[in-house]
Amino acid sequence: MTEKTHHDAIREYGYKIGPAEVNTNTDPADYYLEDEKGNRTKITNNEALQYIANVKMGDPAGGINTYDNYTKLFTILGIRPKFW
């Protein structure tokens, strides 16, 4: 069985996470949630922003469990799976 990835978490929760357009004058970067209709909401929860800063959300080397990272972030933000 293949291990779940962030793509699975996005399907299960109905949201994806992304950095806002990069602005070199802001640090840390702004992050948003985007729903299935393309509506974006800026993440302002300090615990969530600290989590993003300390955990690699992407998987460039293939060694990061992005599914767990996404689901933990959704939990911090109080978001439940769509089929809960």
Side-chain angles (χ1 to χ4, degrees):
M1 184 175 126
T2 305
E3 197 169 313
K4 287 186 174 186
T5 70
H6 64 286
H7 296 291
D8 297 299
I10 291 167
R11 276 192 294 277
E12 291 173 20
Y13 286 80
Y15 289 93
K16 60 183 175 180
I17 303 160
E21 286 66 25
V22 176
N23 178 349
T24 56
N25 295 324
T26 60
D27 188 32
D30 293 333
Y31 289 88
Y32 65 86
L33 287 174
E34 183 175 317
D35 67 16
E36 294 167 321
K37 295 179 182 176
N39 299 315
R40 290 184 177 183
T41 303
K42 183 177 176 180
I43 297 174
T44 57
N45 177 298
N46 285 332
E47 183 181 358
L49 292 171
Q50 285 182 333
Y51 183 78
I52 292 168
N54 292 314
V55 176
K56 293 187 178 185
M57 299 304 288
D59 193 11
I64 301 166
N65 188 334
T66 58
Y67 178 81
D68 284 350
N69 291 349
Y70 269 61
T71 57
K72 286 176 186 173
L73 180 61
F74 291 142
T75 299
I76 291 168
L77 294 170
I79 299 171
R80 293 184 172 192
K82 293 188 292 186
F83 307 112
W84 184 259

